[in-house]
Amino acid sequence: MRFGFFLGLAGKDAEALGFVILHGRRGTPMPPWREHLSEGEARWIVEQLQKGFPK
């Protein structure tokens, strides 16, 4: 499945995912977004990712 990565996000800790969005992951292609997003915006992104794609 093309978007299989997102399927595993439903059970992940929302706070930890928000942290990764804001602070990135060193040594990976995931950059920090804290200069561009608020904590509320990061939480919204996590909520949308955890909902998954509509069927």
Side-chain angles (χ1 to χ4, degrees), residues 27-52:
T28 74
M30 179 63 186
W33 290 93
R34 67 182 170 272
E35 292 184 22
H36 307 286
L37 298 172
S38 69
E39 287 187 22
E41 291 168 323
R43 274 193 304 274
W44 182 86
I45 292 169
V46 168
E47 289 170 7
Q48 301 311 305
L49 291 172
Q50 289 183 321
K51 284 181 187 176

Side-chain angles (χ1 to χ4, degrees), residues 19-35:
F19 183 88
V20 170
I21 291 170
L22 290 174
H23 300 282
R25 293 200 49 137
R26 194 177 294 186
T28 74
M30 179 63 186
W33 290 93
R34 67 182 170 272
E35 292 184 22

